[in-house]
Amino acid sequence: MLQMRPGCECCDTDLPPDSDRARICTFECTFCADCAQTKLANTCPNCGGELVARPRRPLSKLGKYPASTERVFKPQGCATATPA
């Protein structure tokens, strides 16, 4: 099950579980759509994988399957990312 991390690793923007602005790689590194496109060229700075739209968890399932509350914030990785 996806962790559904609550924020962008680059800019720390909130990304609730129903956000259509969240982007993830296969390791669930999480970024907002703006950082993914403008800073990262849709490539994860951590693993080099493709960043794609994160599926949204239905609000009716969040009670039983809550999103993660663990924030990962690594702005230094985004500052040094080189778009392809």
Side-chain angles (χ1 to χ4, degrees):
M1 181 176 325
L2 290 175
Q3 290 181 346
M4 310 289 286
R5 294 179 187 162
C8 176
E9 290 186 25
C10 282
C11 67
D12 208 30
T13 294
D14 288 338
L15 295 168
D18 62 342
S19 175
D20 64 352
R21 307 289 301 152
R23 303 294 182 263
I24 61 171
C25 70
T26 60
F27 291 97
E28 297 185 54
C29 301
T30 304
F31 303 93
C32 70
D34 292 336
C35 287
Q37 292 172 330
T38 62
K39 295 180 183 179
L40 305 173
N42 292 310
T43 302
C44 179
N46 302 319
C47 70
E50 179 183 19
L51 293 173
V52 298
R54 180 181 72 188
R56 288 173 276 177
R57 186 161 298 155
L59 294 176
S60 63
K61 301 293 182 189
L62 284 173
K64 187 172 182 180
Y65 305 104
S68 174
T69 58
E70 178 185 348
R71 290 186 94 84
V72 177
F73 184 46
K74 300 190 240 178
Q76 70 283 0
C78 296
T80 60
T82 307

